[in-house]
Amino acid sequence: MLFKTLFATTACILMTASIAAAQSPEIFVGYSNLQSEGLPDRNDPNWPFNTDFFSNRSTLHGVNGSISAFWEGIGLTGDFSFGRQGHSNDFTGGRDERHTDTFYFLGGPAIKFSQKTRVQPFLRVLAGGAHTSFKVSRQFTGSSGTVTNSFDVGSTDFSAAAGGGLDVRIGDRTKLRVIQVDYAPIFLRDRTIQVLGSNGVIQPSTLEGQRQ
């Protein structure tokens, strides 16, 4: 089956602590900044990071969590992340809201270079799935009460990720993840392109150069 590629780049800059000990699972939770291609609402060209990379993408803010187990530097990682781009507009008597969400659930091998030193770089290659959803709603309060109308659509597709980062030990069982960057494409099916594209969730024309 022919797959399509969406969201060509994911950049996760994560600053938090993870629990770790030799030969014990490492648990991480941190902030995620997802730079996505193919969404209609692109980054503001007037913001500080006005480069070609950011101006052609949309920012989704969220959270990333993972659990990893290593044996002599070789291990397995299970990873989950969530990113949202949301907009709201208040008007007399009501409120409009719309948001696009992306969920990643991935797993795969990882390599950590020297678990015994203070500075610990790592690499990983993951595969799994990603769910992209879009919801728009309007709430209006009038003489007859409050009325809410909403519409949502979504799709789940194969996804993969390749990247790495840098952990710094700051205690016996605590580390600071200074940075983590992953390239995480989502391979859209023809049906997904049709459903999400026809509802304005993605712009298929901007993805032509990245389809497989």
Side-chain angles (χ1 to χ4, degrees), residues 128-146:
H131 180 76
T132 305
S133 66
F134 174 78
K135 182 176 181 179
V136 59
S137 64
R138 164 168 286 196
Q139 185 179 75
F140 179 77
T141 302
S143 57
S144 59
T146 300

Side-chain angles (χ1 to χ4, degrees), residues 27 29 31 40 52 60 97 100 102 107 112 115 129 148 150 198 205:
I27 301 171
V29 178
Y31 165 74
D52 290 339
L60 285 76
E97 292 186 352
T100 301
T102 300
K112 176 157 286 190
Q115 286 183 279
T148 301
S150 64
S198 63
S205 60

Side-chain angles (χ1 to χ4, degrees), residues 36-113:
S36 300
E37 290 184 286
L39 299 182
D41 296 318
R42 297 185 183 178
N43 293 324
D44 185 347
N46 296 319
W47 78 321
F49 301 100
N50 184 22
T51 65
D52 290 339
F53 177 87
F54 288 104
S55 63
N56 293 326
R57 290 166 171 81
S58 303
T59 299
L60 285 76
H61 300 282
V63 63
N64 177 229
S66 66
I67 181 169
S68 304
F70 291 95
W71 299 268
E72 301 298 329
I74 307 297
L76 294 173
T77 294
D79 184 275
F80 172 83
S81 65
F82 163 77
R84 167 171 290 186
Q85 181 190 61
H87 299 276
S88 62
N89 178 48
D90 293 317
F91 60 91
T92 302
R95 180 182 180 88
D96 287 332
E97 292 186 352
R98 60 188 173 92
H99 56 78
T100 301
D101 296 336
T102 300
F103 300 84
Y104 283 94
F105 34 95
L106 307 168
I111 299 175
K112 176 157 286 190
F113 301 94

Side-chain angles (χ1 to χ4, degrees), residues 158-176:
F158 174 74
S159 179
L166 181 68
D167 291 338
V168 176
R169 185 182 298 279
I170 58 176
D172 291 339
R173 297 178 58 85
T174 307
K175 299 176 185 177
L176 175 70

